[in-house]
């Protein structure tokens, strides 16, 4: 598809969404937007971020590889006010309701757990997670997936992190691509922490969703030195995990700083999240123990 056609599709999609505004109580525009109107709105997306003011952070397709492979990806939106994430929305259209199917795309798991292809009634997937800073709650709205054709009731359900704090029972998740996070370093940390389960490798911010929903207890991302993490790859997920009861910091135990512009400047080594304080402290200690012998 060439540029002009993509643009046409975008304009159509925007107008389709706007025509449904009334559903959420916003009056729809009197006339559909034209191409120039849509381009003007897109051009407003030039905020550089920073410590003052309010701005939205959007990652329309996070986990691009997962998206093109028909695997996990996320649509992530966050509102940042004076450098703090105050609202997070994370859409995970391919995320299965049953944890066991998260790994369906990975041959190793299919064979190890003798998974058969999911039947359509089991393959319920897709939800939107929402959290507001300070609410102490994160919410999940499943996407409409009743394949039996019966009435679809959309309900928000509170999600909570897992209660497991024994590393031997915990599951950790990490990026699929070795280029995005060192698998050998996290394997060392896992060993030192006493994690026994095989890592859950999931594309995109769906990893934060896995922690918030209690599908996994730990998330680690250690990119190569020099890589700068972007705020849109983390903002929504971090708030959702925190409000669901989890903890997210850098490897030095400091909160991620969303006030420094487009990047998470000053990030100490990597990003770690866990389902609770006790596990987090053990994880920080294990990272410290493994760091000196690592080549990162
Ligand atoms: N070299 C390198 N190192 C670290 N991180 C990188 C790197 N390259 C990309 N990215 C960013 O990682 C986003 C995808 O991260 P994931 O955790 O989903 O990784 S993975 O796709 O599961 O391997 C991905 O987000 P999207 O571009 O939205 O897919 C990138 O912003
Ligand atoms: Mg991204």
């Amino acid at each position: 598809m060439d540029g002009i056609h993509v643009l046409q599709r975008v304009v159509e999609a925007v107008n389709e969404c706007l025509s449904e505004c009334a559903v959420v109580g916003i009056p729809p525009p009197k006339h559909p937007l034209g191409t120039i109107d849509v381009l003007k709105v897109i051009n407003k997306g030039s905020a550089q971020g920073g410590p003052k003011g309010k701005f939205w952070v959007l990652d329309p397709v996070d986990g691009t590889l997962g998206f093109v492979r028909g695997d996990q990806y996320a649509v992530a939106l966050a509102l940042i006010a004076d450098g703090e994430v105050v609202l997070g929305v994370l859409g995970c259209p391919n995320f299965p309701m049953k944890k066991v199917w998260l790994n369906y795309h990975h041959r190793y798991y299919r064979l190890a757990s003798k998974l058969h292809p999911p039947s359509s009634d089991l393959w319920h997937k897709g939800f939107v997670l929402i959290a507001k800073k300070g609410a102490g709650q994160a919410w999940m709205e499943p996407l409409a997936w009743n394949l039996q054709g019966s009435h679809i009731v959309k309900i928000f359900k509170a999600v909570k992190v897992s209660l497991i704090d024994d590393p031997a029972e915990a599951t950790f998740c990490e990026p699929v691509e070795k280029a995005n996070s060192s698998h050998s370093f996290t394997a060392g940390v896992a060993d030192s922490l006493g994690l026994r389960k095989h890592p859950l490798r999931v594309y995109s911010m769906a990893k934060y969703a896995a922690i918030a929903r209690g599908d996994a207890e730990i998330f680690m991302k250690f990119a190569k030195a020099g890589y700068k993490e972007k705020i849109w790859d983390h903002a929504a997920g971090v708030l959702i995990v925190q409000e669901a009861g989890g903890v997210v910091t850098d490897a030095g135990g400091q909160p991620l700083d969303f006030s420094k512009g487009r990047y998470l400047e000053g990030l100490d080594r990597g990003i770690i999240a866990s389902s609770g304080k006790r596990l987090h402290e053990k994880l920080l200690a294990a990272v410290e123990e493994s760091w000196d012998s690592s080549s990162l």
Side-chain angles (χ1 to χ4, degrees), residues 16 26-27 48 58 78 87 146 148 153 189 240 295:
E16 246 173 70
I26 301 169
Q48 294 303 308
L58 173 70
L87 190 71
N146 194 329
Q148 273 76 52
V153 184
V189 174
I240 289 166
S295 54

Side-chain angles (χ1 to χ4, degrees):
M1 200 186 287
D2 60 27
I4 292 288
H5 287 106
V6 172
L7 182 57
Q8 268 170 6
R9 290 280 298 273
V10 170
V11 174
E12 278 163 23
V14 167
N15 282 309
E16 246 173 70
C17 287
L18 289 174
S19 70
E20 291 171 12
C21 275
V23 177
V24 287
I26 301 169
K30 292 198 176 68
H31 308 286
L33 298 191
T35 307
I36 300 293
D37 304 318
V38 172
L39 287 175
K40 276 187 187 157
V41 175
I42 292 173
N43 280 343
K44 286 190 176 189
S46 56
Q48 294 303 308
K52 287 275 160 249
K54 247 186 196 176
F55 57 90
W56 292 98
V57 183
L58 173 70
D59 193 338
V61 182
D62 178 55
T64 322
L65 259 179
F67 176 73
V68 297
R69 291 179 178 168
D71 201 328
Q72 296 307 316
Y73 70 100
V75 179
L77 179 69
L79 180 62
I80 299 192
D82 294 336
E84 298 266 344
V85 187
V86 293
L87 190 71
V89 184
L90 196 57
C92 301
N94 279 342
F95 201 110
M97 288 294 147
K98 279 187 194 280
K99 173 183 171 180
V100 66
W101 297 116
L102 246 187
N103 276 312
Y104 182 71
H105 288 272
H106 304 296
R107 200 164 165 267
Y108 169 86
Y109 282 97
R110 251 190 342 255
L111 298 178
S113 57
K114 301 193 175 63
L115 276 179
H116 295 293
S119 58
S120 57
D121 56 326
L122 277 172
W123 192 237
H124 288 161
K125 60 176 186 173
F127 53 72
V128 178
L129 292 176
I130 298 173
K132 186 178 159 205
K133 189 175 172 65
Q137 288 276 21
W139 299 93
M140 175 176 75
E141 184 191 28
L143 297 180
W145 38 246
N146 194 329
L147 298 166
Q148 273 76 52
S150 48
H151 185 62
I152 297 161
V153 184
K154 285 195 162 192
I155 27 148
F156 279 95
K157 183 175 171 273
V159 289
K160 276 270 160 240
V161 292
S162 158
L163 293 175
I164 293 173
D165 64 359
D166 177 0
E169 287 176 40
T171 301
F172 91 89
C173 56
E174 64 178 345
V176 177
E177 297 295 311
K178 283 200 252 300
N180 287 358
S181 177
S182 167
H183 290 176
S184 55
F185 178 67
T186 55
V189 174
D191 190 45
S192 141
L193 184 58
L195 297 174
R196 295 215 192 108
K197 297 193 179 170
H198 206 269
L200 191 58
R201 296 198 174 124
V202 180
Y203 293 106
S204 83
M205 254 185 275
K207 289 182 276 296
Y208 285 111
I211 304 291
R213 281 169 36 95
D215 296 324
E217 285 73 30
I218 288 172
F219 161 52
M220 299 191 246
K221 181 173 183 199
F222 286 86
K224 286 201 185 83
Y227 179 79
K228 284 172 136 190
E229 296 285 355
K230 287 116 185 162
I231 55 173
W232 52 85
D233 282 327
H234 301 280
V238 169
L239 183 68
I240 289 166
V241 166
Q242 287 169 336
E243 295 301 326
V247 185
V248 188
T249 68
D250 65 16
Q254 294 303 308
L256 308 193
D257 187 351
F258 290 93
S259 76
K260 293 282 192 302
R262 295 184 158 216
Y263 301 103
L264 293 172
E265 301 285 359
L267 185 85
D268 183 353
R269 294 168 284 179
I271 297 175
I272 57 177
S274 44
S275 54
K277 215 166 155 247
R278 268 169 60 103
L279 197 51
H280 206 80
E281 276 162 11
K282 289 181 190 165
L283 179 57
L284 282 168
V287 168
E288 220 46 68
E289 201 177 297
S290 309
W291 186 258
D292 286 341
S293 54
S294 85
S295 54
L296 283 175

